């Protein structure tokens, strides 16, 4: 049986070498491309999973981190338009391999700041390798000047921060440029050389990986952020923090090394694939025995029909004409605007959802990433699959596609609205959000004046009175009990009153008292994401079926260009700016505003989820207008078919209603 199968697939001995060569197999190319796409998405999504940790480590505002997260779209947008032109003029596998090397380089560059900066420093109560002073109440002022939070900003420190940002922004640009040829060239290469029967299956595998990849990236972030940031510089027994401490910084750089290494390995096979390979044949369409060896070899040559006739100058002149022609099409324009709204929402949510969960429900960065990677992203994948299955099952018309989008977004809005009210109030922080007078006759923020506390101190503790203090010094604590270099308890805290006596405190934040709301929030947000994702495939079909056939490739390129310029680039920056407006206590580093230490949780939730609701309403209204336009067009076609007396016009109107282009 084996010999027969081999003979049928390789009837000529001269072709045995071709059959044994994996680089002449489109199946092997699909395997390699799936691995590469997954690796590429690991690099880009891992940044989003560790964005709040990078903010904390290098003192970045959410606006700056949002700009960093969206900066890879700059390099991508500048080059993506020309992909439509170059098509098969170039050696596509080699271009993909070169792009993958750039992506790998970008991943390694993203981790470079960890190696060019010193160890992570934080305020603490126990003297160690990080600090030779304590953050306790010291009325005489002994040692206060030596506290880390009051360390002098040397010129090299400010320069170091600028270098970190410069390296990261360059890495993001390279990531965008490297990612340009990977998906378009890979898809066109598969479509050219896969059989018509298998091509949809191969492309479906690749599209599913584009959804699975970010989920794997967030799970990778969940695992890496459990390790301490300086795991390579400091012995484990010298680390005095746990991952539940607000000062904890995880090993954000480690995931970039893992993902970049995987991309580098995935890039190697592309330099061995040919520019053209034999067209795949299925068992039902075997190569005829009459096909000569010359015909087979001709499959390895460049196919002239794939070479476009337009010169680059003609292409540049032709592109604005096609752009304006498609933008004047109301259905195309409105569907793209709906997708812009949804993409801007997804860009902001993907970048800052982890931070939102951390701050709103007092979760660790690792646990927040695990929720996103295991619940929210798989939910979006389910929505896309369900939308495509419904579309295929019922063979919907364009009007029905738009109605499905309207219905899905309406249900999404209904489920998303309660999320604004599911959250935790701002914790009571003495001197920041809580200023009630203590039993000692002074405000909680004033009773520690005699302790000579450093203004920039940040070593949060939770008092026995249920109030949080930004450091033991600000709580007036003068004693600390430790075991194995770990803080157990603070005592003699003059700012903490407990039954009329001087109270005590424990290390870490007080957290929130509404952890029971986390499960309803996650469930509702997941369901809303599923419903919003059901519009993905129908909206894409609305674009493909509503434009002129000769403009399809250009229209899709324009669509992705507009999504990048109007959604993926400004979305994270807009969300980050909104988040920054809710900060109530900033960290000051080298006389500049750095990362935020405390947010107004209510404002944070309202503005963050309010933006989400705003974009969902925008997408819903666009789909409603698309439905109204298509219904009017269908009604006009019916009126023409009923009222016209001209047989040819009547037949034309009826055919327009039954045209295959009106069905998906």
């Amino acid at each position: 049986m084996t010999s027969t199968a081999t003979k049928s697939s390789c009837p000529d001995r001269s072709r045995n070498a071709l059959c044994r060569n994996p680089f002449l197999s489109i199946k092997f190319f699909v395997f390699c491309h799936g691995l590469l796409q997954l690796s590429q998405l690991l690099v880009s999504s891992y940044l989003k999973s560790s964005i709040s940790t990078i903010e904390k480590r290098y003192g970045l505002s959410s606006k700056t981190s949002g700009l960093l997260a969206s900066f890879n779209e700059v390099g991508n947008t500048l080059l993506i338009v020309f992909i439509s032109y170059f098509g098969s003029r170039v050696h596509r596998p080699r271009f993909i391999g070169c792009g993958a090397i750039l992506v790998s380089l970008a991943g390694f560059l993203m981790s470079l700041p960890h190696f060019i900066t010193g160890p992570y420093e934080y305020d603490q109560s126990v003297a160690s390798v990080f600090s030779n002073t304590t953050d306790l109440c010291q009325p005489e002022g002994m040692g206060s000047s030596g506290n880390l939070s009051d360390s002098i900003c040397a010129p090299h420190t400010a320069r170091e921060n600028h270098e970190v940002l410069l390296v990261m922004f360059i890495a993001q640009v390279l990531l965008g440029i490297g990612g340009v040829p990977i998906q378009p060239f890979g898809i066109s290469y598969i479509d050219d050389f896969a059989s018509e029967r298998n091509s949809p299956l191969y492309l479906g595998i690749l599209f599913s990986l584009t959804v699975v990849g970010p989920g794997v990236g967030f799970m990778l972030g969940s695992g890496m952020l459990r390790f301490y940031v300086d795991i390579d510089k400091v012995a484990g027994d010298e680390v005095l923090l746990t991952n539940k401490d607000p000062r904890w910084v995880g090993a954000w750089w480690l995931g970039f090394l893992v993902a970049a290494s995987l991309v580098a390995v995935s890039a190697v096979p592309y330099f061995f694939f040919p520019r053209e390979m034999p067209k795949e044949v299925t068992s039902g369409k075997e190569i005829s025995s009459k096909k000569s060896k010359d015909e087979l070899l001709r499959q390895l040559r460049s196919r002239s029909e794939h070479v476009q006739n337009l010169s680059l100058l003609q292409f540049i002149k032709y592109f604005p004409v096609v752009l304006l022609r498609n933008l004047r099409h109301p259905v195309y324009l409105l569907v793209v605007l709906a997708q812009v709204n949804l993409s801007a929402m997804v860009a902001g949510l993907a970048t800052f959802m982890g931070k939102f969960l951390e701050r709103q429900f007092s979760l660790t960065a690792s646990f927040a990433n695990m929720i996103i990677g295991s619940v929210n992203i798989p939910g979006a994948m389910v929505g896309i699959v369900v939308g495509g299955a419904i579309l295929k099952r019922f063979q919907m018309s364009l009007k029905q596609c738009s109605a499905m989008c309207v219905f899905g977004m309406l249900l999404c809005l209904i489920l998303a609205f309660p999320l604004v009210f599911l959250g935790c109030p701002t914790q009571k922080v003495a001197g920041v959000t809580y200023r009630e007078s203590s039993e000692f006759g002074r405000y909680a923020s004033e009773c520690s004046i005699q302790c000579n506390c450093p203004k920039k101190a940040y070593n949060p503790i939770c008092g026995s009175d249920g109030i949080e203090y930004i450091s033991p010094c600000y709580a007036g604590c003068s004693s600390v009990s430790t075991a194995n270099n770990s803080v157990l308890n603070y005592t003699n805290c003059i700012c903490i009153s407990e039954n009329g006596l001087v109270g005590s405190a424990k290390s870490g934040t007080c957290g929130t008292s509404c952890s029971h709301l986390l499960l309803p929030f996650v469930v509702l947000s997941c369901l809303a994401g599923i419903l919003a994702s059901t519009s993905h495939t129908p909206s894409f079909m609305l674009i493909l079926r509503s434009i002129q056939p000769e403009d399809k490739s250009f229209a899709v390129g324009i669509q992705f260009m507009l999504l990048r310029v109007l959604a993926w680039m400004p979305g994270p920056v807009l969300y980050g700016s909104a988040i920054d407006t809710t900060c109530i206590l900033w960290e000051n580093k080298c006389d500049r505003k750095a990362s935020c230490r405390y947010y107004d949780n209510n404002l944070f939730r309202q503005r963050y989820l309010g933006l989400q609701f705003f974009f969902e309403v925008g997408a819903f209204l666009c789909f409603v207008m698309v439905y109204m336009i298509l219904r009017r067009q269908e009604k006009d076609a019916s009126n023409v078919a009923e009222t016209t007396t001209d047989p040819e016009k009547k037949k034309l109107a009826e055919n327009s209603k039954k045209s295959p282009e009106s069905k998906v």
Side-chain angles (χ1 to χ4, degrees):
M1 176 131 356
T2 305
S3 60
T4 306
T6 305
K7 186 177 181 180
S8 62
S9 59
C10 301
D12 196 325
R13 282 188 182 183
S14 62
R15 289 160 46 198
N16 282 343
L18 298 179
C19 296
R20 289 195 300 266
N21 189 348
F23 295 103
L24 293 176
S25 168
I26 196 65
K27 290 185 175 66
F28 185 63
F29 182 88
V30 172
F31 170 79
C32 293
H33 205 63
L35 182 61
L36 176 60
Q37 277 197 182
L38 183 64
S39 307
Q40 177 203 4
L41 289 167
L42 278 183
V43 177
S44 57
S45 60
Y46 182 78
L47 172 64
K48 295 179 173 60
S49 72
S50 56
I51 199 74
S52 62
T53 301
I54 294 175
E55 281 183 20
K56 193 183 303 181
R57 174 64 181 89
Y58 296 107
L60 306 181
S61 65
S62 293
K63 180 180 179 181
T64 303
S65 62
L67 181 63
L68 176 64
S70 64
F71 214 69
N72 69 312
E73 301 296 343
V74 173
N76 202 302
T77 304
L78 292 175
L79 298 177
I80 191 67
V81 174
F82 295 99
I83 292 298
S84 300
Y85 168 74
F86 286 109
S88 58
R89 293 172 182 259
V90 296
H91 194 301
R92 285 173 288 183
R94 288 181 185 171
F95 261 68
I96 294 172
C98 292
I101 290 176
L102 276 181
V103 171
S104 178
L105 177 61
F108 287 120
L109 275 179
M110 283 299 297
S111 66
L112 182 61
H114 170 75
F115 300 99
I116 62 176
T117 56
Y120 169 56
E121 297 178 342
Y122 57 89
D123 292 348
Q124 53 190 320
S125 304
V126 182
S128 73
V129 293
F130 297 103
S131 173
N132 56 13
T133 62
T134 60
D135 191 15
L136 296 174
C137 181
Q138 301 176 36
E140 299 83 6
M142 300 274 305
S144 295
S145 60
N147 192 284
L148 284 172
S149 58
D150 276 346
S151 59
I152 298 174
C153 265
H156 77 86
T157 305
R159 186 174 66 252
E160 188 179 77
N161 288 333
H162 291 304
E163 290 172 352
V164 164
L165 280 177
L166 180 62
V167 168
M168 286 187 168
F169 275 103
I170 291 175
Q172 283 293 89
V173 173
L174 290 179
L175 180 62
I177 294 174
V180 167
I182 291 178
Q183 190 172 34
F185 281 173
I187 290 174
S188 63
Y189 194 81
I190 292 171
D191 191 53
D192 283 348
F193 305 116
S195 67
E196 294 181 2
R197 178 179 176 183
N198 290 337
S199 180
L201 173 64
Y202 298 153
L203 296 181
I205 293 172
L206 295 182
F207 288 142
S208 65
L209 288 175
T210 60
V211 182
V212 174
V216 178
F218 275 92
M219 295 302 290
L220 178 65
S222 176
M224 295 298 103
L225 295 182
R226 296 176 187 269
F227 300 103
Y228 184 65
V229 61
D230 290 324
I231 189 175
D232 60 326
K233 302 175 182 178
V234 179
D237 56 352
E238 295 178 350
V239 179
L240 309 180
L241 301 179
T242 66
N243 62 353
K244 294 182 180 179
D245 194 294
R247 295 166 295 166
W248 172 270
V249 172
W252 61 272
W253 52 274
L254 195 55
F256 284 114
L257 294 181
V258 173
S261 301
L262 191 57
V263 173
V265 173
S266 303
V268 173
Y270 286 90
F271 294 97
F272 299 95
F273 283 107
R275 179 170 180 167
E276 308 280 343
M277 69 165 58
K279 181 82 172 179
E280 183 187 35
V281 290
T282 58
S283 57
K285 295 181 179 180
E286 295 293 344
I287 299 176
S288 172
S289 58
K290 295 181 181 180
K291 179 177 280 190
S292 65
K293 178 181 177 181
D294 292 337
E295 289 177 317
L296 176 66
L297 294 176
R298 275 198 294 270
Q299 292 181 354
L300 297 174
R301 298 172 187 163
S302 178
R303 291 166 169 78
S304 60
E305 62 268 23
H306 289 292
V307 179
Q308 304 174 38
N309 296 321
L310 292 176
S311 67
L312 181 59
L313 183 61
Q314 290 173 324
F315 173 81
I316 294 174
K317 291 180 179 179
Y318 182 59
F319 186 80
V321 176
V322 180
L323 175 64
L324 292 175
R325 183 166 68 224
N326 284 291
L327 291 182
R328 285 198 296 264
H329 195 295
V331 173
Y332 176 84
L333 179 61
L334 287 170
V335 173
V336 169
L337 287 178
Q339 291 184 342
V340 164
N341 278 279
L342 291 175
S343 296
M345 178 190 73
V346 170
L349 292 181
T351 305
F352 294 109
M353 177 60 87
K355 181 173 185 174
F356 175 82
L357 293 176
E358 290 174 45
R359 299 288 183 162
Q360 199 68 209
F361 299 102
S362 298
L363 304 181
T364 64
S366 176
F367 187 54
N369 283 329
M370 187 176 70
I371 291 175
I372 298 171
S374 61
V375 179
N376 292 84
I377 293 179
M381 181 176 65
V382 169
I384 294 174
V385 172
V386 169
I390 294 175
L391 211 62
K392 181 179 179 181
R393 171 66 178 83
F394 296 100
Q395 294 291 306
M396 292 183 172
S397 65
L398 293 185
K399 188 182 80 170
Q400 291 171 330
C401 282
S402 62
M404 179 179 171
C405 293
V406 170
F407 185 66
M409 289 308 304
L410 178 61
L411 292 179
C412 174
L413 286 171
I414 293 173
L415 288 178
F417 183 70
L419 294 176
V420 181
F421 307 100
L422 290 177
C424 302
T426 307
Q427 60 264 51
K428 293 180 179 180
V429 183
V432 180
T433 64
Y434 185 76
R435 298 181 181 275
E436 291 185 12
S437 178
S438 67
E439 294 192 18
F440 299 100
R442 288 174 292 176
Y443 288 105
S445 60
E446 298 175 354
C447 69
S448 60
I449 292 177
Q450 60 178 318
C451 296
N452 298 308
C453 300
K455 294 181 180 180
K456 300 177 182 179
Y458 184 62
N459 180 9
I461 61 172
C462 184
S464 54
D465 55 356
I467 300 172
E468 187 171 318
Y469 298 81
I470 60 176
S471 81
C473 186
Y474 277 94
C477 303
S478 58
S479 301
V480 59
S481 59
T482 61
N484 298 324
N485 287 335
S486 298
V487 174
L488 298 179
N489 200 27
Y490 296 95
T491 54
N492 297 326
C493 302
I494 61 174
C495 296
I496 301 175
S497 173
E498 186 178 12
N499 299 323
L501 302 175
V502 175
S504 60
K506 292 184 178 180
S507 180
T509 66
C510 293
T512 56
S513 58
C514 62
S515 57
H516 60 284
L517 296 177
L518 176 62
L519 181 59
F521 182 91
V522 171
V523 171
L524 279 180
S525 62
C526 180
L527 292 176
I530 291 174
L531 291 169
S533 300
T534 57
S535 64
H536 180 272
T537 306
S539 63
F540 194 74
M541 289 299 149
L542 282 170
I543 288 177
L544 293 178
R545 298 294 181 261
S546 62
I547 57 179
Q548 299 180 24
E550 63 271 17
D551 287 346
K552 283 184 180 180
S553 60
F554 282 99
V556 173
I558 293 169
Q559 172 198 3
F560 285 110
M561 182 189 70
L562 292 176
L563 289 180
R564 284 181 168 86
V565 173
L566 300 179
W568 292 104
M569 288 175 64
V573 180
L574 180 62
Y575 270 83
S577 300
I579 291 171
D580 283 343
T581 62
T582 67
C583 183
I584 54 180
L585 180 64
W586 289 93
E587 173 193 5
N588 288 315
K589 182 178 289 186
C590 298
D591 296 326
R592 69 177 180 86
K593 192 163 59 175
S595 59
C596 184
R597 285 175 171 164
Y598 291 104
Y599 290 93
D600 184 324
N601 275 1
N602 292 323
L603 273 181
F604 191 167
R605 183 175 64 255
Q606 291 165 8
R607 293 180 183 178
Y608 179 78
L609 296 177
L611 271 177
Q612 173 187 346
F613 197 76
F614 170 80
F615 285 126
E616 288 172 346
V617 170
F620 172 73
L621 293 177
C622 288
F623 284 133
V624 168
M625 287 188 282
V626 170
Y627 175 78
M628 294 173 65
I629 290 172
L630 291 173
R631 187 178 67 172
R632 186 184 63 188
Q633 290 177 352
E634 188 176 283
K635 186 176 181 181
D636 291 343
S638 299
N639 291 337
V640 170
E642 292 174 0
T643 58
T644 185
T645 56
D646 190 336
E648 292 186 0
K649 290 184 178 180
K650 186 172 184 178
K651 185 177 180 180
L652 184 63
E654 290 176 349
N655 288 338
S656 66
K657 292 170 60 180
K658 301 177 181 179
S659 172
E661 293 297 318
S662 66
K663 295 281 186 180
V664 177

